[in-house]
Amino acid sequence: MLMKSLADSDPQIAAAIDDELARQRQTIELIASENFTSPAVLEAVGTVLTNKYAEGYPSRRYYGGCEKVDVVENLARQRACELFGCKFANVQPHCGANANLAAYAALVEPGDTILGMSLDQGGHLTHGSPVNFSGKLYNFVPYGLNLETETIDYDELERMATIAHGVGARLMIDMAHIAGLVATGAHPSPFPHADVVTSTSHKTLRGPRGGFILTNDEELARAIDKAVFPGTQGGPLMHVIAGKAVAFGEALQPSFAEYIDNVVANAAALGEGLVQGGLRLVSGGTDNHLCLVDLTPADVTGKDAEHLLDAAGLTVNKNSIPGEPRSPFVTSGIRVGSAAGTTRGFTADEFREIGGLIARVVFNADDEGVLAAVRARVDELLEAHPLYPGL
Ligand SMILES: *Cc1c(COP(=O)(O)O)cnc(C)c1O
């Protein structure tokens, strides 16, 4: 077999990958759902495990030659259970959306009713959007926020959920964003309350792009395994499962708890900088890794802010705010998170400054001089914290 490097065999793709590495290095990544995996996770994902068909589960495969990948999947499952303090883990879902698809398939029948967070107040597409399988297959009933406190209206939720409990409802928690915080105890665990927990592995948990499902109930565990394969997926991505195992192993180390403590402290500092700069945080602050920012004081839309900040080297996403008057393509807010920047090494003081830089940009949308000054300062901050120096 010809062993040519990617740059030799496919210079177009190699160049695009190099360009993406450069882009990641040259911007302050504030998208709350993103992170930078360790080089060890990158290495595991880029291996020959991508070649292996392993439909089924360890020791119960539909293909020969699975002894080695069984070791990998068993370690991933054991580490996930240890990390989240539960009995059963399915690490095969290709992404968070697939984890939810399979979890619903294990818990309910098409047409059944699911109580879920309202999409315009924080719910995910897979929590009942009409353009998603969830909204087409199931009868989603939304719960929402108290628009004064901008936090979940627990009185209303209790009223609705009490009725659901009376008809034998079960509780599923989608912890996709906060999984890293749950892993270290920085956020309360969904167990023992939840019957089923779904998650991604690539947000605060800092693993490869993927999903997983957890439970303590043996019968549900069997239903979940069937719902993932053969219910909704084919062969598992064994190279990604290896990356998940590495990430779970990293998250079990004391250094990961330190990382998550910094993520939480840095999000608070980022929020302080934004507020000192004249912006408003939805719900008055943050308890986790992200802030939802109301741009109304700066009289700029989320869409325009996203573009302005991009030009200044600050990557964010526009986001609806509670009671949003604008369309989801325009919005009145942005969402910013500290998970990726903390991995890169930014300190709380630097995050506070970044909050101030964001405010300067959105309050001075027409001032080229301010934008250039912010870009220059962003470049200094980036240079002080090199990303993937070994690559
Ligand atoms: C990100 C996310 C998902 C979907 O994850 P993908 O890997 O993008 O499919 C599902 N639920 C929640 C709450 C999320 O934040």
Side-chain angles (χ1 to χ4, degrees), residues 14-30 34-37 39 42 310 312-315 340-341 343-346 354 375-391:
I17 292 171
D18 281 349
D19 288 350
E20 172 60 13
L21 175 59
R23 187 198 66 79
Q24 290 184 16
R25 284 176 169 158
Q26 288 158 16
T27 59
I28 297 181
E29 184 55 72
L30 295 164
E34 293 193 12
N35 212 328
F36 303 114
T37 72
L42 284 185
D310 214 26
L314 296 154
T315 309
T343 297
R344 190 159 177 156
F346 291 121
I354 291 166
R375 174 78 238 199
R377 181 60 189 141
V378 164
D379 287 342
E380 282 173 3
L381 289 165
L382 288 166
E383 225 168 282
H385 300 286
L387 177 65
Y388 293 127
L391 283 188

Side-chain angles (χ1 to χ4, degrees), residues 33 95-98 100 124 126-127 174 176-177 200 202-203 209-210:
S33 52
C95 61
N98 276 33
N100 286 348
H124 186 261
T126 54
H127 303 168
D174 177 351
H177 258 271
T200 62
H202 51 273
K203 297 179 183 175
R209 193 155 294 284

Side-chain angles (χ1 to χ4, degrees), residues 93 95-112 114 119 124-140 172 174 198 213 227 231-233:
C95 61
N98 276 33
N100 286 348
L101 171 64
Y104 295 145
L107 287 167
V108 287
E109 296 296 327
D112 281 357
I114 304 177
L119 300 183
H124 186 261
L125 277 173
T126 54
H127 303 168
S129 164
V131 300
N132 182 264
F133 75 88
S134 55
K136 295 183 206 287
L137 283 181
Y138 306 108
N139 171 39
F140 266 85
M172 172 183 137
D174 177 351
T198 63
I213 309 175
T232 55
Q233 290 190 170

Side-chain angles (χ1 to χ4, degrees), residues 88-339:
F88 304 97
N90 187 307
V91 295
Q92 292 193 4
H94 301 329
C95 61
N98 276 33
N100 286 348
L101 171 64
Y104 295 145
L107 287 167
V108 287
E109 296 296 327
D112 281 357
T113 298
I114 304 177
L115 177 62
M117 189 165 203
S118 174
L119 300 183
D120 60 353
Q121 298 183 2
H124 186 261
L125 277 173
T126 54
H127 303 168
S129 164
V131 300
N132 182 264
F133 75 88
S134 55
K136 295 183 206 287
L137 283 181
Y138 306 108
N139 171 39
F140 266 85
V141 176
Y143 67 87
L145 303 179
N146 172 330
L147 286 180
E148 252 165 55
T149 61
E150 298 179 312
T151 55
I152 292 170
D153 188 338
Y154 278 102
D155 292 336
E156 173 70 1
L157 179 56
E158 183 180 18
R159 196 184 58 75
M160 296 172 95
T162 302
I163 296 165
H165 194 70
V167 295
R170 283 181 291 192
L171 178 62
M172 172 183 137
I173 304 282
D174 177 351
M175 62 169 188
H177 258 271
I178 54 169
L181 281 67
V182 170
T184 69
H187 188 288
S189 172
F191 293 116
H193 311 292
D195 296 297
V196 173
V197 174
T198 63
S199 186
T200 62
S201 42
H202 51 273
K203 297 179 183 175
T204 52
L205 196 50
R206 205 163 64 176
R209 193 155 294 284
F212 60 95
I213 309 175
L214 308 171
T215 186
N216 273 319
D217 182 317
E218 191 167 357
E219 207 174 307
L220 273 177
R222 270 197 296 270
I224 289 162
D225 282 353
K226 280 190 197 145
V228 174
F229 176 84
T232 55
Q233 290 190 170
L237 312 176
M238 293 314 306
H239 54 308
V240 178
I241 291 172
K244 288 174 191 173
V246 172
F248 296 149
E250 289 173 353
L252 283 163
Q253 303 302 315
S255 56
F256 190 78
E258 224 172 278
Y259 161 68
I260 289 292
D261 286 348
N262 289 335
V263 166
V264 173
N266 289 347
L270 178 62
E272 283 166 22
L274 290 157
V275 169
Q276 280 159 15
L279 293 166
R280 191 186 77 85
L281 301 187
V282 168
S283 82
T286 179
D287 300 322
N288 53 33
H289 62 298
L290 65 83
C291 303
L292 183 53
V293 187
D294 180 358
L295 298 168
T296 312
D299 198 23
V300 57
T301 67
K303 185 181 174 199
D304 289 343
E306 185 184 301
H307 287 132
L308 284 164
L309 291 165
D310 214 26
L314 296 154
T315 309
V316 309
N317 60 278
K318 62 176 179 274
N319 210 103
S320 298
I321 59 172
E324 178 63 67
R326 298 188 169 103
S327 97
F329 298 101
V330 182
T331 81
S332 305
I334 53 169
R335 195 179 66 168
V336 288
S338 59

